[in-house]
Amino acid sequence: MTDATKYDVVIVGGGLMGASAAFFLATRHNASVALLERGRVGAQASGVNFGNVRRQGRPFIQLPLAHHARDIWGRLPALIGEDCEFLPTGHLKIAFDEESLAALEAYNAEARHWSLSLTLVGVNRLRAEYPFLGSGALGASFSPEDGHANPRLVAPAFGRAARRAGAHILEQCEVIGATRQGEGFIIETADGRILRAPILINSAGAWSNRFAAGFGESVPMEARGPQMGVTESLPYFVSPVLGTGDSSFYMRQVKRGSVVFGGGAHVAVDLSDPRPRPRPTHLLTQLRSLTRFLPSMAGVQVVRTWSGVEGYLPDKLPALGWSAKVPGLLHAFGFSGHGFQLGPGVGSVLADLAATGDTKVPIEPFSIQRFAGNGPAKTSPAAPSSGGAR
Ligand SMILES: Cc1cc2nc3c(=O)[nH]c(=O)nc-3n(C[C@H](O)[C@H](O)[C@H](O)COP(=O)(O)OP(=O)(O)OC[C@H]3O[C@@H](n4cnc5c(N)ncnc54)[C@H](O)[C@@H]3O)c2cc1C
């Protein structure tokens, strides 16, 4: 116990959610912020994901938040001084059977009511524009303003920009305890610091349930690892991100030529190991999908495979917003394999909630209260209470 420091907001976890929240708190609200990250900013799920900045295919109730995030993706250079290799190349979801085609058409029709413009691509146009696709493709849906980015770059770039704006970004700084006492929180770290703040943001990724449980809000979250792979560099041949209608397989080509791919079964994860090992059997399944998609890739070399740790909630929606039990506590976790696109929007929403008590983006469906069946969610830090995580 060597230090006692007061902040407006303390953030636990420096993934994309925590780093972008720190950035928007420091720049938009001039708040004093400490972000505490056990390892390096953006080294977990936020730094090892596939890089899909995709809105099509999301549950419709997630689209307002996804649109808010997409607006920020398009303004990264102005906001944080780097584009993080975000390219709005478009995203093509391809159907290989009649059932998937019907599902794409139904999604397409409803998406219009949620301000997402998609285009159906018939089989003839699909073959003409994407001649390298396997012959089983029946049709597709194209989302012109989706795209991809380099996940390794994004959270660290937000962290650096937050630090430039005055946020305290503390790496190699593990939080070992957080309790609510009096008017705020007391946060303890493994290296002996004690921090105090009226607002605490729980954005510890797949490890967030530990903090939620400590405050009496445990959720049925499972940790799993999607498996990714990347090929040798090939001549550049495809710009949009491609995927199957059911997301069982997806791929993108980076400008340097490598094809990044993912999809299929997840790797089981032990939360004590932040680097789950990819499975060779999953790779074989993915390679069968890859050659079905792109028969010309049958002889390609795979140069690396990897996985990461992600928290999945049963309804595949995140827990985002105020705690239903503890005033001043904000949760942002359980992004269930699709939080990268949402990340900058989540940070923006968290910052507004923490600084003003409210957000213009509708996030009610993501309330943690849906797992508890307890009293109404608080919308601002008010009465003192107790409880905590250790
Ligand atoms: C392999 C893979 C592929 C994916 N592909 C995509 C995709 O293409 N598109 C998409 O939209 N989403 C994708 N996702 C999901 C997306 O990456 C995540 O939803 C998102 O990055 C979650 O961000 P986060 O900040 O909540 O979590 P994280 O990035 O995991 O950050 C949480 C941080 O909290 C820190 N932490 C934990 N405990 C403590 C503690 N006690 N003290 C201090 N710090 C702590 C961790 O070290 C970690 O850095 C993928 C995920 C994976 C794993």
Side-chain angles (χ1 to χ4, degrees), residues 11-19 36-54 58 151 155 170 173-176 203-208 210-211 224-228 250 252 274 306-312 332-343:
I11 302 171
V12 184
L16 185 49
M17 311 306 163
L36 310 177
E37 166 52 47
R38 183 175 56 190
R40 294 287 182 200
V41 167
Q44 290 299 321
S46 299
V48 301
N49 64 64
F50 172 70
N52 214 354
V53 180
R54 164 189 68 82
R58 286 180 183 272
L170 305 175
C173 187
E174 181 177 12
V175 175
I176 56 167
S203 57
W207 298 269
S208 296
R210 175 177 164 218
F211 294 98
R224 289 192 245 143
Q227 183 164 321
M228 309 284 119
Y250 41 85
R252 67 184 177 99
W306 71 96
S307 183
V309 185
E310 170 75 331
Y312 287 79
F333 62 87
F335 289 92
S336 306
H338 47 247
F340 183 59
Q341 190 277 345
L342 298 176

Side-chain angles (χ1 to χ4, degrees), residues 130-204:
Y130 305 93
F132 43 79
L133 277 181
S135 59
L138 299 180
S141 169
F142 186 63
S143 181
E145 288 173 13
D146 288 349
H148 55 104
N150 186 337
R152 289 177 181 278
L153 304 180
V154 190
F158 269 104
R160 283 192 297 274
R163 184 175 276 148
R164 287 195 296 275
H168 288 179
I169 309 293
L170 305 175
E171 296 184 301
Q172 311 286 11
C173 187
E174 181 177 12
V175 175
I176 56 167
T179 50
R180 167 103 198 170
Q181 284 179 25
E183 294 297 308
F185 294 90
I186 297 184
I187 299 103
E188 290 175 51
T189 67
D191 59 3
R193 294 167 204 259
I194 296 180
L195 294 83
R196 295 169 198 274
I199 307 271
L200 177 67
I201 296 181
N202 173 19
S203 57

Side-chain angles (χ1 to χ4, degrees), residues 39 95 111-112 121 123 140 166 176 221 225 251 253 286 308 312 333 336 339 351 376:
R112 252 177 262 134
V121 184
V123 66
I176 56 167
M221 187 158 78
M251 55 151 284
Q253 188 177 27
Q286 288 174 326
Y312 287 79
F333 62 87
S336 306

